[in-house]
Amino acid sequence: NAGVTQTPKFRILKIGQSMTLQCTQDMNHNYMYWYRQDPGMGLKLIYYSVGAGITDKGEVPNGYNVSRSTTEDFPLRLELAAPSQTSVYFCASTPAQFNTEAFFGQGTRLTVV
Amino acid sequence: GQQLNQSPQSMFIQEGEDVSMNCTSSSIFNTWLWYKQEPGEGPVLLIALYKAGELTSNGRLTAQFGITRKDSFLNISASIPSDVGIYFCAGRNNNAGNMLTFGGGTRLMVKP
């Protein structure tokens, strides 16, 4: 029972490089989310999706892009990495709009140098 | 945007002691959630609260949804070493889609 799977677990990027953080869930959940967690801080929502083909900005979307071509996958794209994007990124999913038990992946620790 | 103030930021307690942490908001929430995050893992849901005044327990954990709908607390009784981790509150407002607003977390350390 995989749940929410994120890859990679760790990554170091140079300023200006790009990368895609992968997230996939096998629970057939409609809603998927990307959060970032900075040291000593709570989780801030970057982007979310209410279903395949639909995405929307969260609280801190600048510098990121997402796509949702399938129910299972919700990749997060960084086009021009900046040191301010050094953080731990979490993907999460929920089955329906008002079911709030969000299932989280294990996180991706990204360092931009 | 909505903000959640969670306190304390950290606690260092002796095994067996009770723990209390809380979250307050300037906005009303329809749902309060409490998560625990262990090192290298994503947050895991502990307790969900859906109604103002609701008091819910999960083993040694008890959480309450404040009457004003702007606060919630989590108590842990008789702490044990495996309670170590970061505890997050999260609130959701039905009028803001299904987005959760998270508190800054309470880092709990338990001395055996």
Side-chain angles (χ1 to χ4, degrees):
Chain A
N1 193 6
V4 179
T5 303
Q6 288 182 237
T7 56
K9 287 194 175 181
F10 305 94
R11 184 73 185 268
I12 298 176
L13 279 183
K14 292 184 179 179
I15 294 172
Q17 285 186 321
S18 62
M19 78 164 292
T20 299
L21 282 68
Q22 301 292 345
C23 175
T24 188
Q25 51 91 9
D26 62 358
M27 299 173 282
N28 202 32
H29 286 175
N30 290 326
Y31 280 62
M32 296 187 74
Y33 315 81
W34 274 106
Y35 292 91
R36 59 176 287 171
Q37 183 180 28
D38 298 326
M41 305 292 287
L43 298 164
K44 292 189 182 294
L45 184 65
I46 305 171
Y47 269 95
Y48 68 103
S49 168
V50 303
I54 307 170
T55 63
D56 210 344
K57 296 178 180 179
E59 185 182 355
V60 289
N62 291 344
Y64 307 95
N65 278 300
V66 293
S67 60
R68 184 92 183 273
S69 56
T70 66
T71 299
E72 294 77 21
D73 300 307
F74 190 40
L76 178 72
R77 179 87 179 157
L78 283 72
E79 290 294 349
L80 291 170
S84 61
Q85 293 177 305
T86 294
S87 188
V88 180
Y89 292 84
F90 287 100
C91 179
S93 72
T94 58
Q97 181 173 3
F98 295 113
N99 182 321
T100 54
E101 182 171 352
F103 294 84
F104 283 83
Q106 289 191 309
T108 296
R109 183 176 295 275
L110 176 67
T111 302
V112 182
V113 297
Chain B
Q2 297 172 322
Q3 292 196 358
L4 284 182
N5 296 311
Q6 186 171 347
S7 64
Q9 286 189 326
S10 62
M11 302 179 73
F12 190 77
I13 62 169
Q14 193 77 34
E15 182 178 1
E17 289 183 355
D18 296 343
V19 173
S20 185
M21 60 191 78
N22 68 82
C23 272
T24 60
S25 169
S26 56
S27 307
I28 288 173
F29 287 107
N30 301 108
T31 302
W32 283 95
L33 305 170
W34 285 92
Y35 286 85
K36 180 186 178 186
Q37 183 182 25
E38 298 189 1
E41 301 290 330
V44 174
L45 183 68
L46 298 173
I47 293 180
L49 302 160
Y50 300 107
K51 204 162 49 172
E54 181 181 355
L55 184 73
T56 297
S57 293
N58 178 5
R60 293 178 295 106
L61 278 61
T62 302
Q64 184 158 29
F65 192 142
I67 290 290
T68 65
R69 294 164 65 192
K70 292 184 177 181
D71 61 347
S72 177
F73 72 76
L74 175 70
N75 286 342
I76 304 173
S77 62
S79 59
I80 59 178
S82 62
D83 289 335
V84 164
I86 304 176
Y87 292 79
F88 289 102
C89 64
R92 183 177 67 78
N93 185 317
N94 290 352
N95 295 324
N98 198 27
M99 289 188 285
L100 293 175
T101 301
F102 281 84
T106 296
R107 183 179 296 275
L108 178 63
M109 293 159 280
V110 180
K111 185 178 179 183

